[in-house]
Amino acid sequence: MSEIESTSTVTAAGATAPAKGGGRRKLTLPVILLFVAGGLLLFSLVRAVSGADDLTSVGQVSGALQLAVPIGLAGLGGLWAERAGVVNIGLEGMMILGTWFGAWAGYQWGPWTGVAVGILGGALGGLIHAIMTVTFNVNHIVSGVAITILATGATRYLSNFTFAEAPGGSSKQSPRVEGIDRITVPGLSDWLGDLQEKHWFFVSDLAGLLGGLVTNLSVLTVVALLLVPGTWWVLWRTGFGLRLRSCGENPVAAESLGVNVYKYKYIAVLVSGALAGLGGAFLAIVSTGIYQEGQTGGRGYIGLAAMIFGNWMPGGLALGAGLFGFTDSLKLRGGAENVHAMLLLLAILLVFACAWTLYKKKYTAAVVSAVFSAVLFLWYSATDILPSQFVDAAPYVTTLLVLALSAQRLRMPKANGMPYKKGQGK
């Protein structure tokens, strides 16, 4: 089958047909940039009112980016698997394998070897998941949970006779891994930093955002950022990606048109595991420079949440990962003061939500939004700082809120998570 024939026939299988009954418009680059500009304007307003000048500083943005990368890589892994029809709850376990194998190879043979071996570790988890779900039709959720449990136990066991006997290591952590080179654009970085410190409305916030993208940036961060448009191009602009997505939309129709469904599902889940492993290696080598037991901290699940928030699209996923990374960064930089300022941000967002729901004549939702907005305004006005427990929980609360608010607009691949056997359409 030629490339043109393959592309046209897979289109007939339903991979790219829009959903009937008012399907949503996809997030395009201009729309994403408009969201970013609107969000930055809102952050400028909150910063000016609250006085939390670190909210959009170069350090804040740089830290948020570093925290967002592992989440984004896990989300990309979930995107690859689920676009082929395989639910990958095991992303957390594959990240754990990536952290352990990345650190194990990294402290012995250098950081880039650690990155490569971390990718292989995650891909190993992906291979197990593919065998269980694609070949043996095991329930996808059961398989994913089992892989996470297996990865946790296996890495704990391996650490006892590898890291525990290495100089500077223990049964719960590895020796320190050499860091990967970092990039700072000379001149531009300093100019943007000086501009951000002037605290001008919007201009300084924009300078802080851009400064965070050109200051103390790991080479591996650049690679991770390029994987977002790379994934979009492969899955939405190539015949290979079209056939892969057809397996997640209508595998029976795809098979009838000559697509090897098993092959594409295996490729997708292997790539999914490799990306999650890369996220784990990033945590061990770039973020901390060391493997520690439990250091993934649920980022695989948060990556899955970012993927769902992004409606199974790379652009939306990147926005979701950035949001979760930023919330996590608030906890680490400035802590309670920055999170306290976010109460004002949430209150303003709920005012917009109230106005929108009134426009849509959804009066119950409008009343609920108005009540919660008033509560947050009062909370912000009556306090100067938030309890440390709330600050620590902020990333996870954000995850729950985002999923709850975005649930109504989601459209997953039609055959996602459904069992499939070769020839079942005959």
Side-chain angles (χ1 to χ4, degrees), residues 80-87 126 130 133-135 140 243-244 246-249 251 260-272 415-421:
W80 272 83
E82 299 206 8
R83 277 295 177 179
V86 179
V87 176
T133 57
V134 178
T135 302
H140 298 193
R243 290 189 289 273
L244 186 146
S246 75
C247 298
E249 296 290 343
N260 188 334
V261 176
Y262 276 15
K263 181 182 85 171
Y264 282 94
K265 284 180 178 287
Y266 261 88
I267 291 172
V269 181
L270 279 171
V271 173
S272 176
N416 193 23
M418 295 174 59
Y420 168 80
K421 290 184 179 181

Side-chain angles (χ1 to χ4, degrees), residues 4 12 42 97 133 256 268 270 352 400 417:
I4 296 177
L42 191 55
L97 292 173
T133 57
S256 71
L270 279 171
F352 286 120
L400 294 174

Side-chain angles (χ1 to χ4, degrees), residues 7-8 46 67 73 90 96 212 228 268 280 296 307 377 391 397 400 406:
T7 302
S8 62
V46 170
L67 290 166
L73 287 171
I96 291 171
V228 175
T296 54
M307 178 204 69
F377 272 123
V391 175
V397 172
L400 294 174
S406 63

Side-chain angles (χ1 to χ4, degrees), residues 9 18 50 53 60 100 105 132 148 155 176 261 279 291 336 350 355 363:
T9 54
S50 67
D53 291 329
Q60 179 73 57
W100 192 91
M132 295 174 71
T148 301
T155 52
R176 183 152 294 278
V261 176
Y291 163 82
L350 285 172
Y363 300 114

Side-chain angles (χ1 to χ4, degrees), residues 58-67 69 179-190 192-193 208-222 225 282 286-287 333:
V58 172
Q60 179 73 57
V61 174
S62 180
L65 181 61
Q66 182 165 292
L67 290 166
V69 165
I180 291 176
D181 292 339
R182 292 181 175 268
I183 301 170
T184 296
V185 179
L188 179 61
S189 175
D190 295 334
L192 289 172
L209 175 63
L210 297 177
L213 299 176
V214 296
T215 304
N216 199 29
L217 204 64
S218 169
V219 175
L220 195 56
T221 301
V222 178
L225 292 175
F282 185 95
V286 177
S287 297
R333 289 179 56 90

Side-chain angles (χ1 to χ4, degrees), residues 25-400:
R25 293 174 59 187
K26 295 180 179 179
L27 283 174
T28 60
L29 182 60
V31 173
I32 292 173
L33 292 177
L34 187 62
F35 273 120
V36 172
L40 191 61
L41 188 64
L42 191 55
F43 270 101
S44 299
L45 177 63
V46 170
R47 179 186 60 80
V49 173
S50 67
D53 291 329
D54 192 50
L55 203 59
T56 54
S57 67
V58 172
Q60 179 73 57
V61 174
S62 180
L65 181 61
Q66 182 165 292
L67 290 166
V69 165
I71 295 171
L73 287 171
L76 276 180
L79 176 68
W80 272 83
E82 299 206 8
R83 277 295 177 179
V86 179
V87 176
N88 193 355
I89 293 292
L91 289 168
E92 177 77 6
M94 296 168 197
M95 285 191 79
I96 291 171
L97 292 173
T99 59
W100 192 91
F101 281 103
W104 173 74
Y107 88 87
Q108 297 180 90
W109 302 299
W112 286 109
T113 303
V115 169
V117 176
I119 291 172
L120 291 176
L124 175 62
L127 177 61
I128 296 171
H129 190 49
I131 292 172
M132 295 174 71
T133 57
V134 178
T135 302
F136 295 108
N137 268 325
V138 174
N139 181 279
H140 298 193
I141 305 299
V142 172
S143 173
V145 171
I147 286 171
T148 301
I149 295 172
L150 177 65
T152 303
T155 52
R156 186 174 298 169
Y157 171 73
L158 291 171
S159 295
N160 286 327
F161 61 87
T162 51
F163 298 150
E165 298 178 359
S170 71
S171 60
K172 294 184 180 295
Q173 70 177 42
S174 71
R176 183 152 294 278
V177 181
E178 181 185 349
I180 291 176
D181 292 339
R182 292 181 175 268
I183 301 170
T184 296
V185 179
L188 179 61
S189 175
D190 295 334
W191 178 68
L192 289 172
D194 293 339
L195 192 59
Q196 178 264 314
E197 289 178 358
K198 296 182 183 298
H199 306 307
W200 292 338
F201 184 79
F202 190 78
V203 175
S204 292
D205 301 286
L206 180 60
L209 175 63
L210 297 177
L213 299 176
V214 296
T215 304
N216 199 29
L217 204 64
S218 169
V219 175
L220 195 56
T221 301
V222 178
V223 173
L225 292 175
L226 292 175
L227 285 173
V228 175
T231 292
W232 172 82
W233 184 82
V234 170
L235 293 184
W236 274 269
R237 285 295 181 268
T238 67
F240 166 83
L242 192 56
R243 290 189 289 273
L244 186 146
R245 287 186 292 119
S246 75
C247 298
E249 296 290 343
N250 195 334
V252 173
E255 183 189 13
S256 71
L257 296 169
V259 176
N260 188 334
V261 176
Y262 276 15
K263 181 182 85 171
Y264 282 94
K265 284 180 178 287
Y266 261 88
I267 291 172
V269 181
L270 279 171
V271 173
S272 176
L275 287 168
L278 177 59
F282 185 95
L283 276 175
I285 297 172
V286 177
S287 297
T288 60
I290 195 171
Y291 163 82
Q292 291 178 311
E293 187 177 301
Q295 74 185 127
T296 54
R299 287 178 175 85
Y301 300 117
I302 297 177
L304 200 63
M307 178 204 69
I308 295 170
F309 166 78
N311 210 10
W312 287 265
M313 294 294 292
L317 182 156
L319 285 177
L323 172 64
F324 298 136
F326 180 79
T327 310
D328 210 4
S329 181
L330 288 176
K331 181 183 71 174
L332 300 177
R333 289 179 56 90
E337 178 186 352
N338 286 337
V339 177
H340 182 255
M342 295 302 290
L343 290 178
L344 179 60
L345 177 66
L346 286 175
I348 295 172
L349 286 174
L350 285 172
V351 170
F352 286 120
C354 179
W356 177 253
T357 49
L358 281 174
Y359 172 75
K360 290 289 186 178
K361 298 182 179 179
K362 297 179 180 179
Y363 300 114
T364 302
V367 170
V368 172
S369 298
V371 169
F372 276 99
S373 178
V375 169
L376 288 174
F377 272 123
L378 288 173
W379 190 2
Y380 174 79
S381 302
T383 58
D384 294 323
I385 197 168
L386 292 177
S388 60
Q389 295 87 349
F390 187 88
V391 175
D392 292 338
Y396 307 102
V397 172
T398 302
T399 303
L400 294 174

Side-chain angles (χ1 to χ4, degrees), residues 24 305 308-312 399-412:
R24 294 183 69 255
I308 295 170
F309 166 78
N311 210 10
W312 287 265
T399 303
L400 294 174
L401 286 175
V402 165
L403 288 180
L405 294 174
S406 63
Q408 298 300 317
R409 64 175 184 82
L410 301 178
R411 189 251 178 217
M412 71 171 66

